[in-house]
């Protein structure tokens, strides 16, 4: 009997060990026909990103130690939305020239991720073009979004092998995605119908009556719920600005202070601050207020690092330099080559719509100041591999000034030194190479000419 008991215990211990999942995720695969210039795994809000090396034959393999949740595998063109959990061992293969029809996902975690791939494909098919979708009447739009939700729910119910926990989480996500679609309708309908005064009917958003904006579990698990919460607080920020005459930053911090959930408050505070501190007029005051409100040490560490970097690129400090950037007219150009003149730098890219909208205004400025003590530099962060696209746009748009191409797009040292996370971005440097304004007004902003006048340019 004693021997049998020992044997049973041994089997029990052995069984527990074999059922224990690893605390990491394996991801591998092969991309055929065209090697990507980059491959990375990212959170959907890009607060986390990690590069994955791709071999010469298109194969890749990596071990990830990330929190369970939603991620995007991105090759620079094709996004693959993934659900990752500890213990997953995913193998992902596709033909870069026929991504939509060639994607194959196998391994542990495949059922959940094949469902997500089918969900994305079906969603795009059902939504159609934005202009047609958002031009629909309130009734037709809501019916279409409900039909999409029902179709995706049917696909989820038919998916074999998905875990119960994933299914429950995805049912929540589909519900919140539907509600989120209602949230954006007013703005989108007004934009696509060119009716900027459009307002939805009083009962259009009645499904939000009694909505709980403090559900921490859903905030962490559902990207759509998180966006609904973010939109909710964005409206509060706007109200504070319009009704209380607060600045954008004052309204943001007042809104953040009013969030009851500490976890949601910290995340919302960090998400916004991480993107906007680079544009703060008073970086020190912004940082001080953030630190007063935030209680998350990890977030505080990230913002502190950004603050320390930003204090190196404030008014009066020597500007970071770009060195030997390719010049459209031939040869190489460095920032030091322009010393002796003020330098107005436009950081842009051929794919950036807001950047292109500034081009006519920039051309007018260049004509007005062509004989003044200032150089206009357009610094493109297009990929070096897109050099021909960059050159073609310069020719097509007859762009003037100094046209240079950054050496490593977003990762170029000049770009990272200035903590540039969004474009267009405009920087003004004086004739001695010192920063006048790291966030200078846009060419379309009359304040830029006022600034030039103050500086006797």
């Amino acid at each position: 009997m004693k021997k049998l008991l020992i044997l049973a215990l041994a089997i029990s211990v052995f069984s527990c060990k074999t059922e224990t999942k690893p605390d990491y995720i394996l991801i591998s695969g092969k991309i055929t026909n065209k090697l990507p210039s980059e491959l990375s795994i990212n959170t959907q809000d890009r607060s986390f990103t990690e590069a994955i090396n791709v071999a010469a034959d298109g194969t890749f393999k990596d071990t990830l130690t990330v929190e369970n949740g939603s991620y995007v595998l991105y090759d620079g063109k094709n996004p693959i939305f993934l659900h990752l959990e500890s213990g997953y061992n995913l193998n992902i293969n596709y033909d870069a020239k026929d991504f939509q029809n060639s994607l194959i996902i196998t391994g542990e975690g495949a059922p959940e991720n094949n469902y997500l791939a089918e969900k994305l494909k079906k969603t795009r098919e059902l939504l159609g073009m934005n202009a047609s979708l958002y031009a629909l009447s309130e009734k037709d739009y809501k019916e279409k979004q409900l039909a999409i939700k029902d179709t995706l729910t049917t696909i989820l119910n038919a998916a074999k092998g998905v875990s119960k926990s994933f299914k429950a989480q995805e049912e929540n996500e589909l519900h919140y995605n539907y509600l989120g679609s209602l949230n954006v309708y007013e703005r989108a309908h007004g934009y696509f119908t060119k009716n900027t005064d459009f307002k939805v009917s009083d009962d259009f958003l009645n499904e939000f009556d009694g909505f709980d904006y403090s559900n921490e579990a859903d905030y962490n698990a559902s990207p759509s719920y998180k966006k609904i919460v973010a939109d909710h607080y964005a409206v509060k920020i706007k109200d504070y600005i319009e009704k209380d005459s607060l600045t954008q930053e004052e309204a943001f911090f007042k809104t953040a202070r009013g969030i009851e959930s500490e976890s949601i408050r910290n995340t919302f505070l960090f998400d916004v601050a991480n993107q906007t501190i680079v544009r703060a007029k008073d970086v020190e005051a912004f940082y001080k207020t953030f630190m007063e409100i935030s209680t998350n040490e990890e977030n505080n560490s990230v913002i502190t690092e950004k603050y320390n970097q930003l204090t190196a690129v404030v008014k009066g400090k020597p500007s970071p330099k770009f060195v030997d950037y390719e010049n459209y007219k031939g040869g190489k150009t460095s920032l030091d080559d322009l010393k002796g003149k003020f330098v107005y730098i436009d950081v842009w890219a051929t794919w950036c719509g807001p950047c292109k909208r500034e081009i006519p205004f920039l051309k007018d400025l260049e004509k007005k100041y062509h004989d003044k003590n200032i150089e206009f530099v357009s610094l493109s962060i297009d990929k070096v591999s897109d050099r021909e696209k960059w050159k073609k746009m310069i020719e097509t748009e007859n762009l003037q000034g100094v046209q240079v191409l950054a050496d490593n797009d977003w990762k170029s040292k000049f770009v990272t030194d200035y903590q540039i996370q969004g474009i267009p971005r405009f920087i003004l440097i004086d004739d001695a190479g010192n920063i006048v304004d790291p966030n200078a007004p846009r060419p379309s902003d009359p304040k830029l000419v006022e600034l030039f006048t103050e500086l006797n340019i």
Side-chain angles (χ1 to χ4, degrees):
M1 178 67 74
K2 186 175 182 182
K3 288 182 179 180
L4 287 174
L5 179 60
I6 292 172
L7 178 61
L9 288 171
I11 292 173
S12 174
V13 170
F14 179 78
S15 298
C16 289
K17 285 184 177 179
T18 57
E19 291 175 1
T20 301
K21 286 187 177 182
D23 59 357
Y24 55 83
I25 299 158
L26 295 176
I27 187 168
S28 60
K30 186 172 184 178
I31 304 169
T32 56
N33 271 325
K34 184 181 179 181
L35 286 180
S37 56
E38 63 179 41
L39 185 66
S40 60
I41 190 78
N42 315 271
T43 50
Q44 291 192 20
D45 61 3
R46 296 192 72 87
S47 59
F48 164 84
T49 184
E50 182 176 306
I52 296 178
N53 292 325
V54 181
D57 64 353
T59 58
F60 60 91
K61 186 174 184 179
D62 206 345
T63 302
L64 305 173
T65 51
V66 295
E67 294 181 4
N68 294 352
S70 300
Y71 293 85
V72 183
L73 183 69
Y74 188 56
D75 65 4
K77 180 181 179 181
N78 303 302
I80 303 175
F81 291 85
L82 298 173
H83 173 75
L84 299 181
E85 291 185 17
S86 297
Y88 275 13
N89 187 346
L90 292 172
N91 188 260
I92 301 171
N93 300 278
Y94 64 91
D95 181 339
K97 293 184 178 179
D98 188 22
F99 173 74
Q100 293 293 340
N101 298 311
S102 64
L103 178 64
I104 298 175
I105 304 175
T106 57
E108 180 67 26
E112 290 81 359
N113 287 292
N114 279 315
Y115 156 76
L116 290 177
E118 187 178 358
K119 170 190 172 183
L120 178 61
K121 187 175 182 180
K122 193 65 177 178
T123 300
R124 286 174 171 170
E125 175 188 319
L126 294 171
L127 285 175
M129 300 298 290
N130 281 344
S132 301
L133 173 69
Y134 293 115
L136 292 173
S137 67
E138 291 182 10
K139 178 176 178 295
D140 290 343
Y141 178 81
K142 186 173 282 193
E143 286 179 355
K144 186 176 182 69
Q145 293 293 356
L146 275 171
I148 291 173
K149 177 188 174 185
D150 290 343
T151 299
L152 296 179
T153 300
T154 299
I155 293 174
L156 175 63
N157 290 333
K160 296 180 179 179
V162 300
S163 68
K164 289 182 179 180
S165 59
F166 173 83
K167 185 177 180 182
Q169 182 177 311
E170 183 61 18
E171 287 172 342
N172 252 5
E173 172 63 15
L174 292 176
H175 174 64
Y176 287 132
N177 185 65
Y178 162 68
L179 291 180
S181 73
L182 304 185
N183 244 352
V184 302
Y185 175 73
E186 183 175 277
R187 295 191 301 274
H189 183 81
Y191 174 80
F192 284 104
T193 61
K194 295 182 170 47
N195 179 9
T196 53
D197 296 325
F198 173 75
K199 298 293 180 185
V200 294
S201 303
D202 291 340
D203 61 348
F204 183 75
L205 296 174
N206 58 7
E207 287 160 285
F208 278 94
D209 291 348
F211 190 86
D212 179 10
Y213 293 97
S214 301
N215 188 321
E216 293 182 0
D218 285 352
Y219 188 81
N220 293 323
S222 168
S224 291
Y225 177 84
K226 185 177 181 181
K227 187 176 186 310
I228 288 172
V229 173
D231 287 345
H232 171 70
Y233 289 119
V235 170
K236 283 188 173 294
I237 291 172
K238 185 179 178 183
D239 285 346
Y240 282 136
I241 293 171
E242 294 176 352
K243 296 175 182 177
D244 296 352
S245 300
L246 299 182
T247 66
Q248 182 80 28
E249 291 172 13
E250 289 170 339
F252 160 56
F253 285 124
K254 183 172 182 178
T255 298
R257 289 183 191 276
I259 299 175
E260 293 182 9
S261 163
E262 181 180 15
S263 173
I264 294 177
R265 179 172 64 250
N266 279 328
T267 304
F268 173 79
L269 183 67
F270 174 76
D271 287 348
V272 177
N274 195 34
Q275 296 297 320
T276 60
I277 189 172
V278 297
R279 299 193 296 272
K281 284 300 180 184
D282 187 337
V283 175
E284 187 172 351
F286 187 102
Y287 173 71
K288 181 180 178 182
T289 307
F290 173 89
M291 296 298 284
E292 287 174 356
I293 303 172
S294 175
T295 58
N296 183 295
E297 291 304 318
E298 186 176 343
N299 292 350
N300 293 353
S301 177
V302 172
I303 296 300
T304 296
E305 183 178 353
K306 281 204 167 188
Y307 166 73
N308 290 335
Q309 291 173 325
L310 286 169
T311 52
V313 287
V314 294
K315 182 177 180 179
K317 293 288 184 73
S319 172
K321 299 175 182 179
F322 59 83
V323 179
D324 289 340
Y325 278 8
E326 178 181 348
N327 191 310
Y328 168 73
K329 293 182 178 178
K332 305 285 186 179
T333 297
S334 301
L335 183 60
D336 279 348
D337 297 336
L338 309 173
K339 191 170 285 188
K341 288 187 175 183
F342 283 85
V343 182
Y344 182 70
I345 300 175
D346 169 15
V347 184
W348 74 295
T350 59
W351 44 261
C352 169
C355 301
K356 289 185 277 190
R357 286 196 289 272
E358 292 295 323
I359 288 175
F361 300 99
L362 182 59
K363 284 182 176 180
D364 289 343
L365 273 177
E366 288 167 342
K367 287 178 183 177
K368 183 176 181 178
Y369 290 90
H370 77 279
D371 59 348
K372 304 295 184 181
N373 189 38
I374 185 169
E375 289 279 6
F376 292 89
V377 176
S378 294
L379 190 157
S380 169
I381 59 169
D382 281 288
K383 295 181 183 299
V384 173
S385 58
D386 290 331
R387 178 186 289 107
E388 293 309 313
K389 186 187 296 184
W390 167 65
K391 288 183 176 180
K392 185 176 181 180
M393 180 166 285
I394 293 173
E395 294 169 5
T396 303
E397 297 290 338
N398 191 27
L399 302 184
Q400 301 299 310
V402 180
Q403 299 287 335
V404 295
L405 181 64
D407 57 0
N408 196 17
D409 51 88
W410 289 102
K411 302 181 189 69
S412 302
K413 190 173 186 303
F414 182 83
V415 175
T416 57
D417 282 348
Y418 268 105
Q419 289 286 297
I420 297 173
Q421 296 175 316
I423 54 175
R425 171 76 174 271
F426 300 92
I427 300 164
L428 183 61
I429 300 167
D430 69 18
D431 51 1
N434 298 318
I435 299 169
V436 175
D437 192 339
N439 287 284
R442 297 184 176 200
S444 59
D445 188 342
K447 291 181 180 178
L448 181 60
V449 172
E450 294 176 10
L451 178 59
F452 286 175
T453 302
E454 288 175 14
L455 296 168
N456 294 318
I457 295 176

